């Protein structure tokens, strides 16, 4: 067997494989014997079909399959041995389709495959590369909003006679045309975008009516939900004036700052005073802000890396590969998403180079722990007082990782975290304290 590769340019190459009969016949003979043992054919006892009969009847199909396996295995082995950083998967050269073979177990076969190569570049991150690491502090306005939300979450529902801003109106919405849409739904006044419309819903009583332009009042997704129609139907509404008639007013009253409320949020007796409660909330909020700061740092590193690495990709090959692996994708869809595909590919290669150059390793325990973190956060989102045991989290994590797609996603996430932690230790970080509202302006 001869196998070699030749560069077409810096990011494209061809791999040529030549197979003599002695290279593939052992695999073919073995496959024929296995087929003979399994075959159930009229006139033969199970497992007693002669190999000669299998060779005459199915030989060419088995030969074709086994040559494919041998070629694919040898190409994969060759790529690994020669440390070729291949993008996508090797694709058979179109000109090979014209080759004529007898398929009689005596042919010498020659196959050529196209491969795309990752471009060469230096890792752009060094100790001289500087980034800002923000220490985000909670301002009074942000703390007050968080406390308000917590009190509302554990508050009680009342039905006042007159509506105020922030109430939920249980109302009928009727389109201003003959045989128009009519739907009864809960309308949250806090999600209304138009200030004039929001003001018109204050001071209403049961059976009061007001006309509103629903396109100005709501985002498309909210409007579709309220009217029980699709987002496409909501976007295409011909008449957007609706009459809103109040049937009931719902108001969520904030919980009192008392011991019962504190014990719902924290272990019993841990917080007994309003000052302690506010300090706990501040600590919780600022811990969440650390995630915002980390995400900002990751985004800054991403932007820096993407700007510094200016390379060409084997675009024609990659488009051909994407079409081969996604036969239902249209040319328009391919072109529309190709720029994003290249961006993701570029950052993936940067991450992989950091991993390889520094012998970083993602361990199974790290993926398990990440899965447990994600599961814990999901549980707490739906029930803040539920506290799953480590054993339960382990069990859930193992079940989650049995799904290959989820396992791959978590592995990639763990790898990204590993690269991020490495970069934080190996670039220059300049600490800067900042108020949350100022940080939000930075993000915008």
């Amino acid at each position: 067997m001869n196998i070699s590769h030749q560069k077409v340019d810096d990011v494209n190459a061809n791999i040529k494989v030549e197979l003599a009969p002695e290279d593939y016949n052992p695999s073919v003979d073995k496959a024929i014997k296995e087929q003979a043992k399994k075959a159930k054919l009229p006139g033969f006892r199970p497992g007693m079909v002669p190999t000669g009969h299998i060779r005459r009847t199915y030989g060419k199909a088995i030969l074709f399959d086994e040559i494919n396996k041998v070629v694919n295995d040898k190409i994969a082995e060759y790529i690994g041995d020669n440390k070729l950083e291949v993008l996508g998967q090797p694709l058979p050269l179109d000109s090979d389709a014209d080759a004529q073979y007898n398929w009689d177990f005596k042919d010498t076969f020659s196959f050529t495959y196209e491969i795309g190569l990752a471009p060469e570049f230096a890792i752009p991150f060094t100790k001289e590369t500087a980034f800002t690491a923000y220490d985000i502090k909670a301002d009074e306005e942000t703390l007050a909003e968080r406390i308000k939300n917590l009190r509302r979450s554990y508050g009680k529902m009342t039905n006042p006679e007159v509506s105020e801003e922030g109430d939920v109106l249980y109302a009928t919405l009727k389109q201003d045309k003959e045989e128009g849409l009519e739907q009864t739904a809960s309308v949250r006044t806090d999600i209304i975008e138009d200030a004039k419309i929001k003001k018109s819903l204050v001071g209403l009583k049961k059976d009061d009516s007001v006309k509103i332009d629903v396109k100005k009042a709501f985002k498309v997704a909210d409007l579709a939900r309220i009217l029980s129609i699709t987002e496409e139907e909501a976007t295409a509404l011909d008449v957007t004036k609706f009459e809103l008639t109040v049937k009931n007013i719902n108001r969520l009253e904030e919980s009192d700052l008392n011991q019962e409320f504190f014990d719902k949020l924290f272990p019993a007796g841990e917080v007994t005073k309003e000052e302690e409660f506010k300090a706990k909330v501040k600590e919780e909020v600022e811990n969440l802000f650390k995630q915002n700061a980390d995400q900002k740092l990751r985004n800054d590193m991403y932007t820096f890396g993407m700007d510094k690495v200016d390379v060409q990709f084997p675009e024609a090959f990659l488009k051909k590969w994407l079409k081969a692996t996604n036969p239902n994708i249209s040319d328009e869809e391919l072109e529309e998403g190709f720029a994003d595909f290249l961006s993701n590919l570029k950052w993936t290669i940067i991450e992989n180079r950091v991993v390889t150059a520094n012998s970083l390793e993602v361990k199974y325990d790290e993926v398990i722990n990440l899965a447990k973190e994600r599961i814990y956060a999901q549980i707490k989102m739906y029930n803040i007082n539920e506290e799953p045991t480590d054993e339960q989290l382990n069990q859930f994590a193992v079940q989650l990782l049995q799904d290959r797609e989820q396992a791959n996603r978590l592995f990639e996430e763990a790898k990204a975290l590993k690269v991020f932690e490495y970069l934080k230790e190996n670039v220059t970080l300049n600490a800067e304290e900042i108020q949350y509202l100022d940080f939000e302006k930075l993000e915008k």
Side-chain angles (χ1 to χ4, degrees), residues 7-8 67 96 122 127 184 269 328:
K7 275 196 170 187
V8 177
I67 284 178
D96 276 4
K127 200 64 184 173
T184 301
N328 294 325

Side-chain angles (χ1 to χ4, degrees), residues 296-314:
K296 166 70 173 164
L297 180 56
R298 288 179 72 169
N299 291 345
D300 290 347
M301 286 179 172
Y302 171 85
T303 302
F304 173 84
M306 294 292 280
D307 288 344
K308 284 292 182 182
V309 175
D310 184 16
V311 292
Q312 296 298 312
F313 285 94

Side-chain angles (χ1 to χ4, degrees), residues 155-169:
K156 60 181 179 179
M157 190 67 72
T158 60
N159 302 109
E161 290 187 6
V162 182
S163 66
E164 293 180 1
E165 188 172 328
D167 287 345
V168 177
L169 303 179

